Amino acid sequence: MSVWFGLHCPSFTFPDTEPGGLFDRVAEQARAAEAAGFGLVTVMDHLNQIPGIGTQEEPMLEAWSTLAALSRETSRVRLGPLVTGVTYRNPALLAKTATTLDVISGGRAVFGLGAAWFEAEHDSFGFSFPPIGERMNRLDEALAIAKGMFDAERSTFGGRFYETRDVINVPRPVRDGGVPILVGGGGEQRTLKIAAKYADMTHWFPLGLDALNHKTDVLRGYCEAIGRDPGDIERTMAAPVLVAGSDAEARSMLEHLPPERRAMVKGGTPEQAAEALRPYIDAGFTGFTFNNNVYRRPEQIAVLGELLRLVA
């Protein structure tokens, strides 16, 4: 698989922009990513801003309606949530929503799903927040429903938490094989086991190459246990590099990352970043995402295009 970049948009905070102009700013960033050769644009599925990115009171647009709007502002990049929380929506409705995005975007949707984690958001919006074991069980069942709806015009599923009865999913996804499924998270007890069953893609944080190689081994083991080729699952990650014009700019950009991730990320010129990415590419990672709260201006995103050309 060839190397590609994704622009992840966890932030809708533009202090110089009125609420009516927030989407235009995000669309500008998405178009800049497409022009730079990126292959994916994603948004968070949160209803309030999360710790590590900003304060809970900062602006946040709902994910799937934002993706639908971005589908009319772009023409080539894939579009998806990184990732939708399983607790927020009925999974059959969610699969229908993803199929709709695939249709209106001309086959560019990606179905990202995870177990959800932001308890304060659940409390304030009135969503139940079950223990992690139940959330993982719900993730497993939700992906089974989505996979069934992507694969066939009619499908049925009966589980402990969710069920469908001869559910019809028409129109069909544009691409053969349906909307690709991305499972977010690298939990080794349950998440990677679920990913082995359903995922076309995984997405992990930059934990250091040794830790990521260990997760790859765990995923491979789960795949082999069910007779699936682990090479069928594309491994992607948040980029372990920062591209900056100077050391001072690199330090400034690093401050936008959560403190626990800063030690795992290297800053430098496009040439230096390409060298730092090489071991990850050699280890089989093909997709790298860069956050719009770090790369805010179109010209900063354009510089990432230079890095992409060096490694692709």
Side-chain angles (χ1 to χ4, degrees):
M1 297 180 184
S2 60
V3 175
W4 53 267
F5 285 177
L7 178 69
H8 180 47
C9 301
S11 176
F12 301 100
T13 298
F14 303 98
D16 59 343
T17 303
E18 294 296 322
L22 293 182
F23 175 75
D24 291 336
R25 295 293 298 273
V26 176
E28 178 185 55
Q29 293 175 332
R31 290 192 297 268
E34 187 168 78
F38 281 42
L40 176 68
V41 171
T42 56
V43 298
M44 292 197 304
D45 186 26
H46 283 289
L47 305 172
N48 294 145
Q49 187 53 272
I50 64 172
I53 302 295
T55 66
Q56 195 170 356
E57 295 77 16
E58 290 182 22
M60 181 57 57
L61 300 179
E62 190 278 326
W64 287 96
S65 52
T66 301
L67 292 167
L70 285 174
S71 76
R72 311 310 292 175
E73 298 284 339
T74 57
S75 60
R76 297 186 305 277
V77 290
R78 294 172 293 171
L79 299 162
L82 193 64
V83 289
T84 280
V86 71
T87 51
Y88 296 149
R89 299 171 185 81
N90 171 279
L93 175 61
L94 193 56
K96 180 67 174 179
T97 303
T99 301
T100 300
L101 177 63
D102 200 55
V103 170
I104 66 176
S105 67
R108 295 186 284 136
V110 173
F111 184 74
L113 194 65
W117 62 271
F118 194 12
E119 186 172 4
E121 187 174 73
H122 287 73
D123 290 344
S124 63
F125 278 84
F127 293 111
S128 63
F129 188 69
I132 183 60
E134 179 179 328
R135 300 201 312 274
M136 297 306 302
N137 291 336
R138 287 178 178 271
L139 176 63
D140 196 330
E141 291 189 12
L143 286 169
I145 288 172
K147 180 68 172 171
M149 291 177 65
F150 295 156
D151 286 350
E153 183 174 311
R154 292 174 180 263
S155 59
T156 296
F157 175 84
R160 179 181 175 187
F161 301 102
Y162 306 115
E163 64 178 26
T164 58
R165 291 181 293 275
D166 197 28
V167 62
I168 300 171
N169 192 25
V170 177
R172 306 292 301 132
V174 172
R175 286 162 295 181
D176 293 338
V179 180
I181 292 172
L182 183 154
V183 174
E188 296 175 12
Q189 298 300 313
R190 293 295 307 278
T191 305
L192 295 183
K193 187 174 185 179
I194 291 170
K197 293 167 63 176
Y198 302 110
D200 300 293
M201 307 162 66
T202 59
H203 190 270
W204 301 336
F205 291 129
L207 305 173
L209 194 53
D210 289 344
L212 294 173
N213 282 336
H214 173 70
K215 291 187 183 298
T216 296
D217 290 339
V218 172
L219 178 63
R220 182 183 298 112
Y222 284 133
C223 287
E224 291 172 351
I226 61 174
R228 187 178 183 193
D229 182 355
D232 291 341
I233 303 176
E234 186 174 13
R235 284 173 292 134
T236 76
M237 62 179 292
V241 297
L242 285 173
V243 180
S246 66
D247 290 342
E249 185 180 10
R251 288 193 296 271
S252 175
M253 295 168 76
L254 200 62
E255 292 176 0
H256 293 287
L257 300 180
E260 65 273 14
R261 297 185 202 164
R262 295 173 188 172
M264 300 299 179
V265 176
K266 295 183 179 180
T269 65
E271 291 76 15
Q272 291 169 327
E275 183 178 352
L277 275 183
R278 182 55 54 189
Y280 295 88
I281 296 170
D282 291 343
F285 288 89
T286 52
F288 300 91
T289 58
F290 297 81
N291 281 14
N292 80 328
N293 64 312
V294 178
Y295 302 91
R296 304 188 65 82
R297 304 189 307 275
E299 56 268 27
Q300 291 178 307
I301 297 170
V303 173
L304 292 175
E306 297 179 23
L307 170 61
L308 178 59
R309 286 187 286 274
L310 289 171
V311 300

